[in-house]
Amino acid sequence: MLDAAVAAFARRGYRAASMDEIAVAAGVSKPLVYLYLNSKDDLFTACIRREAEALKAAVRASVEVGAPADRQLWSGLLGFFEYTAAHPDGWTILYSQARTVGEPFADEVAAMRAEIVEFVRGLIAAAARDAECDEELAEREVAALAHALVGAAESLAGRPGPATGRENAATLMNFAWSGLANLMSGHTWTPSGFRPTPRAGR
């Protein structure tokens, strides 16, 4: 039933997809759909939650625990891109449909995204510790870098074109890791004449 619903919502959108067509595609009666899930809203929420849990599990499982920091980040990105490429309907629901329909569906996706960002933040923070990066610099930059990296990955995964998951992961690593490596060693870029705003209590 959820497989049929995911396909229908991804193909036609939340508003256009009907419970009738979902029931037909699932090979069950419409009353049975309502028996298990009280409404179209509940069905869509169940789809979002299933796809979100599957994506999070795929990313976590793909990370090579104990590997060097760059290898862990690479394997996590590769897991993300390979999963979204293999499950385009699920990714369409998470990246396009749920965000545009509005609350409470967008909140479900935001919660999933926050977990992935926190997971990536942990990977980058571990890399900073391994590189003995300045603690103040790491504290200031790591969370922002995690948000930026996840946003870039989402954008690439939603991009039409022939690029494979491996190519997308390599593109993002080439874009991000050189900058991260410089940051970890204390070599940061600032525009000419820029002075950071003093932090409270410092």
Side-chain angles (χ1 to χ4, degrees), residues 8 12-18 21 40:
R12 291 173 48 76
Y14 169 76
R15 292 186 175 87
S18 71
E21 69 178 291
K40 186 177 177 181

Side-chain angles (χ1 to χ4, degrees), residues 13 22 64 67 81 172 188:
I22 291 169
E64 297 178 22
F81 285 119
L172 199 49
T188 58

Side-chain angles (χ1 to χ4, degrees), residues 82-172:
E82 288 186 336
Y83 184 86
T84 54
H87 302 84
D89 286 348
W91 180 240
T92 295
I93 284 178
L94 294 175
Y95 186 69
S96 301
Q97 294 297 329
R99 289 180 169 185
T100 57
V101 172
E103 297 181 356
F105 311 121
D107 293 339
E108 295 280 347
V109 176
M112 173 208 71
R113 191 177 191 277
E115 287 189 43
I116 293 178
V117 167
E118 179 58 24
F119 182 64
V120 172
R121 189 204 62 77
L123 295 179
I124 298 175
R129 288 193 299 271
D130 290 348
E132 298 181 350
C133 181
D134 176 81
E135 289 185 10
E136 181 180 344
L137 181 65
E139 179 186 349
R140 185 172 70 243
E141 300 290 348
V142 164
L145 286 169
H147 277 279
L149 195 58
V150 170
E154 290 172 340
S155 180
L156 280 179
R159 180 187 64 171
T164 65
R166 192 174 188 85
E167 288 168 341
N168 279 334
T171 295
L172 199 49

Side-chain angles (χ1 to χ4, degrees), residues 2-75:
L2 288 181
D3 288 341
V6 166
F9 287 134
R11 184 179 67 254
R12 291 173 48 76
Y14 169 76
R15 292 186 175 87
S18 71
M19 297 292 269
D20 287 310
E21 69 178 291
I22 291 169
V24 169
V28 299
S29 66
K30 185 177 176 181
L32 187 60
V33 176
Y34 280 106
L35 177 65
Y36 284 103
L37 294 146
N38 296 324
S39 66
K40 186 177 177 181
D41 282 4
D42 288 345
L43 178 57
F44 193 48
T45 298
C47 291
I48 293 169
R49 289 177 178 171
R50 188 189 76 165
E51 298 306 312
E53 289 301 320
L55 176 57
K56 288 186 295 183
V59 171
R60 291 180 182 280
S62 67
V63 172
E64 297 178 22
V65 179
D70 61 332
R71 185 73 189 182
Q72 289 195 48
L73 190 57
W74 154 258
S75 59

